[in-house]
Amino acid sequence: MATKYIFVTGGVMSGVGKGVATASIAKILKSRGFSVTAIKIDPYVNVDAGTMNPTEHGEVFVLDDGMECDQDMGNYERFLDTSLSCANYMTTGSVYLSVINKERAMEYGGKCVEVVPQIPLEVISRIDKAAKKNKANIAIIEIGGTVGEYQNILFLEAIRILKIKKPKNVLLTLVSFVPSLGAGGTELKTKPTQYAVRSLESAGLHPDIILARASVPLDQKRKEKLEFMCGLQEGDVISAPNVESIYEVPINFEKDNISDRILKKLSLKAKNKDLADWRDLVKNIQNPNGEVKIGIVGKYFGSGDFVLTDSYISVLESVKHAAYSWNKKPIIEWLDSDTYEKDAKLLDELKNYDGIIVPGGFGNRGVEGKIKATEYCRKNKIPFLGLCLGLQLSVIEFARNVAGIKDATSREFDKKAKNAVIDIMEEQKKLLFEKHYGGTMRLGAYDCEVQPGTISHEAYKDWAGEKSGPYIISERHRHRYEVNDKYREILQKKGMTVAGINPKSNLVEIIEIKNHPFFVASQFHPEFKSRPLKPHPLFRSFINAACLPAGRQ
Ligand code: GLN
């Protein structure tokens, strides 16, 4: 079967949920028996997302192969329940870089290399490679940004070229914002979307389907108006109202028969129609039996009331997956670590939570506050999950307050530290010294041997099955610093358990603290592998502990 291409563009403004729309269409088509892959094109000159600040761009998501990419890739993996690779992500920067490298290698045979057509052709060839690598019948490609802006014009040009070459195999969707006015905000306005369609037309494109993002479902009249004014066939405007949970989106799209519309346009015959697993998930989400309240102590929250939850989107989703699996409604609150530095009395608020997470992070702002929060959770037996930096700070806290190494710290915070219980990896030293920041951390999947008799071993039974002896699991990483081997023995003697190690390098991957209902921290990021239908074992057992009133004070 020839590859079919479905492009997803955005109209009117950013933040309308193109990523979730792309992931949802992918999920629906997969459920209809096709092999589907999802690709993201970001209009940034950054070669990957690794150097972007999470407060500006949201979370940096990491793939098995170490690709640092946009958080939407996380949505694709979660909805498709598939692990993707670097073939599925590109930026303006990465596309230009390969064109320039090819030119330097004389691969254009002495021709004059021009922005058009070379850049769009490179984009198309990458899309084809990704489809091939994933053995996909259907490739869904999300174009970052909004139509009408300068940055993504070459990607629209790629769609135009591909449409000329394969008119029957290309479908274009526009996820567009339909604002509402008037009392109660129910008067939906279609004009901005009409302008967005004109923008597409000025790039030589016309949408086949419009996904109308609005606060409420679109009424028939508004649908007809959009169809008529934007030159669409009847039924090609799909209502995309606000939802409580993003996992409802595929079900909503199917209410307007999106998959039938798409398959008909691409002349595809569906093998089946089955979103049963997803419907069960949504039913579960909508009918919880109690709540679980989790606090996340971090610093990427922006300032004032503005909470940039996008910085930790995978952590958030992982908590939700785990909570849903125990049929609980997750209540997640953000706790700014800076405040604990200023006023230690505020730490008492941690008692109001069933569990606390200290997630990943970089730099030393807010770390003393996070260490204080960690100490509080350890002493007050509050279920605690530390992720990456969260593990490093747990080790520092334990070294200072239990092992008596008062000046214990990380090399990241103090280059001249005497007791760097967290130190830089040998191979990282040179890279940092030479200021090679992009794509140079310990990135992607590494094995971890999980020791029997630990909380983690018990947890990973979910994935590894009932087995005696250590489990070998694979988890994703993104860090430069590590537990310093020199201190491992003393920390273990004082009651810290090393529950997971890398079998090749012997690096510490998971630590636990004894005589505590749940104190687990990992050097890797389990949140990158949690899926709604396959919650991550560590999150699942953390939430389980958080739901139990086990021996807390
Ligand atoms: N800053 C720490 C390091 O580089 C932790 C990174 C993280 O939390 N992802 O090792």
Side-chain angles (χ1 to χ4, degrees), residues 19 75 78 124 146 154 168 181 183 188 208 225 285 298 307 362-363 372 405 439 474 484 497 537:
N75 279 325
R78 290 188 277 268
I124 294 170
T146 310
L154 290 170
K168 294 206 167 83
L181 280 178
L188 295 169
D208 298 291
K225 182 159 185 191
I285 296 173
V307 173
F362 292 83
K372 286 206 170 93
I405 310 168
S474 168
N484 187 340
T497 305

Side-chain angles (χ1 to χ4, degrees), residues 101-357:
N101 285 338
K102 279 186 194 166
E103 184 277 323
R104 294 287 78 188
M106 278 300 278
E107 283 183 36
Y108 294 103
K111 267 206 243 144
C112 175
V113 181
E114 293 181 278
V115 165
V116 177
Q118 254 71 43
I119 299 296
L121 288 179
E122 173 68 23
V123 170
I124 294 170
S125 107
R126 283 172 169 228
I127 293 171
D128 280 333
K129 261 190 216 145
K132 203 164 160 205
K133 186 162 184 194
N134 290 284
K135 297 191 181 64
N137 322 125
I138 304 177
I140 307 192
I141 309 106
E142 179 189 349
I143 311 283
T146 310
V147 296
E149 63 188 20
Y150 183 72
Q151 274 103 310
N152 54 19
I153 199 79
L154 290 170
F155 304 130
L156 299 185
E157 183 62 6
I159 307 177
R160 198 185 68 84
I161 295 172
L162 198 59
K163 236 182 161 168
I164 295 169
K165 286 190 182 173
K166 304 177 178 178
K168 294 206 167 83
N169 295 342
V170 178
L171 186 122
L172 178 59
T173 68
L174 175 71
V175 184
S176 191
F177 181 54
V178 179
S180 47
L181 280 178
T186 49
E187 196 188 323
L188 295 169
K189 308 306 278 180
T190 62
K191 192 75 82 203
T193 297
Q194 296 178 39
Y195 283 121
V197 170
R198 272 196 220 167
S199 280
L200 271 180
E201 282 167 348
S202 69
L205 295 170
H206 189 79
D208 298 291
I209 286 178
I210 291 179
L211 295 137
R213 278 286 294 115
S215 51
V216 291
L218 244 66
D219 56 298
Q220 192 53 31
K221 241 189 150 151
R222 234 54 53 185
K223 279 187 182 166
E224 281 166 17
K225 182 159 185 191
L226 268 179
E227 283 160 12
F228 183 73
M229 298 305 284
C230 301
L232 263 64
Q233 288 167 5
E234 198 186 320
D236 284 343
V237 171
I238 308 291
S239 187
N242 286 353
V243 280
E244 195 64 31
S245 156
I246 54 168
Y247 300 114
E248 291 170 40
V249 173
I251 290 167
N252 264 355
F253 283 1
E254 274 300 67
K255 282 185 192 155
D256 278 348
N257 302 314
I258 191 171
S259 64
D260 285 341
R261 309 293 310 172
I262 290 176
L263 297 178
K264 189 165 162 237
K265 285 176 195 298
L266 290 173
S267 313
L268 291 174
K269 277 226 157 27
K271 296 175 189 102
N272 46 24
K273 192 163 192 166
D274 185 17
L275 271 178
D277 53 357
W278 216 254
R279 288 187 203 281
D280 287 348
L281 169 76
V282 170
K283 215 185 275 165
N284 216 3
I285 296 173
Q286 289 169 341
N287 298 292
N289 177 18
E291 293 178 345
V292 59
K293 197 170 164 191
I294 302 299
I296 303 183
V297 183
K299 68 162 184 179
Y300 294 132
F301 303 150
S303 54
D305 290 336
F306 179 66
V307 173
L308 191 79
T309 50
D310 271 7
S311 305
Y312 293 120
I313 183 89
S314 293
V315 177
L316 213 77
E317 292 308 311
S318 303
V319 170
K320 290 183 194 167
H321 304 158
Y324 300 150
S325 78
W326 294 112
N327 206 15
K328 293 281 180 258
K329 179 184 173 152
I331 310 286
I332 305 170
E333 286 176 13
W334 303 92
L335 306 168
D336 191 346
S337 56
D338 279 345
T339 60
Y340 302 136
E341 267 170 44
K342 290 179 200 127
D343 185 0
K345 282 204 292 298
L346 288 174
L347 283 165
D348 277 332
E349 72 178 3
L350 297 177
K351 277 202 172 142
N352 302 332
Y353 295 88
D354 300 314
I356 294 291
I357 296 177

Side-chain angles (χ1 to χ4, degrees), residues 31-49:
S31 81
R32 300 214 61 180
F34 295 95
S35 159
V36 184
T37 197
I39 298 162
K40 171 91 196 235
I41 306 183
D42 257 338
Y44 306 104
V45 179
N46 304 55
V47 173
D48 57 39

